[in-house]
Amino acid sequence: MKKIPFVSKEQIEEITKTYPTPFHIYDEAGIRKNAAAVRDAFSWNRGFREYFAVKATPNPRLIGILREYGCGTDCSSMTELMLSKAMGISGEEIMFSSNDTPAAEYVYADRIGATINLDDITHIDYLEKALGGRLPKTLSCRYNPGGVFTMSNGIMDNPGDAKFGMTTEQTIEAYRILQKKGVQRLGIHAFLASNTVTNEYYPKLAGQLFELAVRIKEETGAALSFINLSGGVGIPYTEEGEPNDIAVIGEGVRKEYERILIPAGLNDVAIYTEMGRFMLAPYGGLVTQAIHEKHTHKEYIGVDASAVNLMRPAMYGAYHHITVLGKEDAPADTVVDVTGSLCENNDKFAIDRKLPAVEMGDYLFIHDAGAHGFSMGYNYNGKLKSAELLLKEDGSVEQIRRPETPMDYFATLSDQGIYERIEREMQEVSGIRISNVL
């Protein structure tokens, strides 16, 4: 499927008059269309809720759009819980799935009514002690069947090598314990494969969890109230792949529900999902400008973004498609590495990538950066995180996160004298303009 940017060269040239590159930009129209499709795909389930994975894109403006379509939040830390609470999200609208969790985070999650998803059987006692000898009325357990997860198109992932979740035996025993301790509403959660680009994944995962839910009921008497399919529904990062069809996926889960749960008397189980990548990745891009070229042992194009802005290529060797704006139909007849300025050789957005001839000043649109893009950024080399912009449905642009400044970077220093001297230096730095040096 051809990757087409949701912004044109002309739009970016106008936007950069106000917001200099690099920046992340998100497509409101695309986000809304996709959120509605997810809601509709699971509308057959009365209790369905998508819990958007905050870690994917922790921006309240974007989360607020998803909220309009019934989404809650999936949180994994104190700060994500705090963000949700500040947005007016609380109670069962929040799923708290963490691991190696500090006691204070459990206490806060309980205080705001979030549904806590326990990663290990030992966390039952840990949570009970943290809460002063009691447990919440609602709890979930994270399940890991181990082994290798396979489907018709081969090996998808290796749950047995993952640090998350409980074994089958531990999971069943956990429900026995939780029932004895008076927990009234129980659920289960599992994540067995990442970024699957197949309509088979969710239905197969659902089938496994539904069968386990029946077994739990038979062996412990616990009737689960909800089953959380978590994330794992992915997107095609290359042009060769075809996107998942969420309507087909929802229908596949429905068939498994009717085949397994309803005959077992579990006909009112709510289905939850936590799809960060599927919800937002295709609807965000990183826009950067070519500022250097280098002709040595290889051909290089240097841009003003770096792994600070999008670290997936550096961290995983992940592919992100790149469009040279204004040259969408030009032949891709040059082979280059597209690099950032970090003092690390893995700071490359593309290696041996065929692109149209890139001229200095060209804008590059790096696709599918709407999830796990900005949020994974960091400050190595003293680099600063960029702005986030929203391309609104009416074509206007809203800044939904300003870029970091040097004073943000130095704000946590204990030496106030250094901070004040740097603050004075900022006046000198702010006087430097591109026109002065180019």
Side-chain angles (χ1 to χ4, degrees):
M1 184 184 73
K2 184 175 177 60
K3 297 279 186 180
I4 301 174
F6 54 81
V7 286
S8 66
K9 176 185 177 182
E10 291 73 24
Q11 285 176 294
I12 292 300
E13 287 175 336
E14 188 63 30
I15 291 168
T16 54
K17 292 177 182 178
T18 304
Y19 307 108
T21 56
F23 52 75
H24 288 263
I25 188 166
Y26 304 92
D27 175 22
E28 181 179 6
I31 293 169
R32 289 185 178 278
K33 182 178 179 180
N34 190 53
V38 170
R39 178 197 60 197
D40 294 346
F42 290 91
S43 60
W44 55 265
N45 182 259
R46 184 173 57 184
F48 172 73
R49 178 175 281 136
E50 156 63 19
Y51 288 86
F52 174 69
V54 176
K55 60 181 171 286
T57 319
N59 190 294
R61 183 69 172 83
L62 302 177
I63 296 171
I65 293 172
L66 297 177
R67 287 264 290 156
E68 295 180 35
Y69 297 86
C71 297
T73 54
D74 161 41
C75 299
S76 58
S77 68
M78 178 77 86
T79 48
E80 291 179 357
L81 289 168
M82 293 171 67
L83 174 61
S84 297
K85 181 65 164 56
M87 291 183 64
I89 307 169
S90 62
E92 293 181 2
E93 294 179 300
I94 303 176
M95 184 70 61
F96 182 51
S97 296
S98 61
N99 65 97
D100 293 326
T101 309
E105 297 192 6
Y106 276 143
V107 171
Y108 183 71
D110 176 71
R111 182 176 300 166
I112 64 176
T115 297
I116 294 172
N117 185 37
L118 297 173
D119 186 64
D120 188 69
I121 192 169
T122 62
H123 295 176
I124 297 173
D125 286 341
Y126 186 88
L127 175 63
E128 190 172 30
K129 290 176 182 176
L131 299 183
R134 65 171 182 85
L135 289 173
K137 293 181 179 179
T138 299
L139 278 174
S140 176
C141 293
R142 184 165 185 171
Y143 170 61
N144 183 336
V148 175
F149 187 76
T150 62
M151 291 190 298
S152 61
N153 53 351
I155 295 174
M156 301 303 296
D157 218 325
N158 183 7
D161 196 40
K163 69 173 183 174
F164 309 105
M166 311 181 201
T167 67
T168 303
E169 293 73 21
Q170 289 173 337
T171 301
I172 293 172
E173 180 60 23
Y175 290 114
R176 288 195 181 98
I177 295 170
L178 293 174
Q179 276 200 304
K180 288 180 181 178
K181 290 182 176 291
V183 178
Q184 299 172 8
R185 189 167 178 266
L186 295 166
I188 195 167
H189 171 289
F191 179 90
L192 303 188
S194 178
N195 195 43
T196 62
V197 189
T198 168
N199 296 330
E200 296 179 54
Y201 170 61
Y202 252 12
K204 180 167 183 179
L205 170 63
Q208 288 193 11
L209 291 180
F210 296 167
E211 289 172 354
L212 180 59
V214 173
R215 180 178 170 185
I216 289 168
K217 181 183 178 183
E218 292 173 347
E219 295 188 21
T220 72
L224 299 186
S225 298
F226 60 88
I227 294 176
N228 190 334
L229 304 179
S230 187
V233 177
I235 65 165
Y237 284 93
T238 67
E239 289 195 310
E240 289 71 33
E242 288 296 323
N244 285 315
D245 187 329
I246 196 64
V248 173
I249 291 171
E251 177 64 12
V253 174
R254 183 189 67 80
K255 289 179 179 178
E256 292 297 285
Y257 191 100
E258 293 180 351
R259 181 178 70 87
I260 301 170
L261 291 182
I262 290 179
L266 296 168
N267 56 355
D268 59 351
V269 178
I271 300 299
Y272 298 159
T273 58
E274 297 172 348
M275 298 184 290
R277 192 191 314 266
F278 184 82
M279 298 301 292
L280 281 189
Y283 312 108
L286 173 61
V287 178
T288 182
Q289 189 171 35
I291 58 173
H292 288 288
E293 57 186 332
K294 187 173 183 178
H295 314 284
T296 55
H297 305 290
K298 298 184 73 175
E299 296 295 307
Y300 296 96
I301 295 296
V303 297
D304 59 4
S306 69
V308 164
N309 309 104
L310 177 65
M311 71 181 299
R312 293 187 74 254
M315 186 174 184
Y316 304 121
Y319 179 95
H320 279 261
H321 195 72
I322 297 175
T323 295
V324 183
L325 294 177
K327 299 181 178 180
E328 288 85 351
D329 298 321
D333 52 9
T334 63
V335 178
V336 297
D337 285 11
V338 179
T339 68
S341 60
L342 295 186
C343 298
E344 295 289 343
N345 196 45
N346 67 349
D347 183 21
K348 297 179 179 182
F349 294 111
I351 298 173
D352 296 330
R353 184 74 60 85
K354 290 183 178 180
L355 293 175
V358 179
E359 300 172 84
M360 297 303 93
D362 279 350
Y363 292 105
L364 279 62
F365 183 93
I366 303 178
H367 292 257
D368 301 318
H372 310 290
F374 178 91
S375 64
M376 293 179 72
Y378 57 115
N379 290 117
Y380 184 55
N381 280 187
K383 295 292 185 178
L384 305 175
K385 297 176 75 173
S386 54
E388 291 183 293
L389 310 178
L390 179 64
L391 177 65
K392 299 172 73 174
E393 289 184 291
D394 63 6
S396 63
V397 172
E398 175 188 350
Q399 181 174 264
I400 58 176
R401 188 191 300 268
R402 67 164 175 81
E404 286 185 333
T405 70
M407 300 321 298
D408 294 321
Y409 179 76
F410 294 116
T412 54
L413 291 176
S414 299
D415 190 326
Q416 186 64 25
I418 288 288
Y419 181 84
E420 292 173 354
R421 289 195 290 276
I422 293 170
E423 191 172 31
R424 290 194 293 271
E425 185 66 17
M426 272 290 293
Q427 298 177 12
E428 182 73 18
V429 172
S430 64
I432 298 175
R433 294 289 182 266
I434 295 298
S435 58
N436 300 141
V437 296
L438 292 181

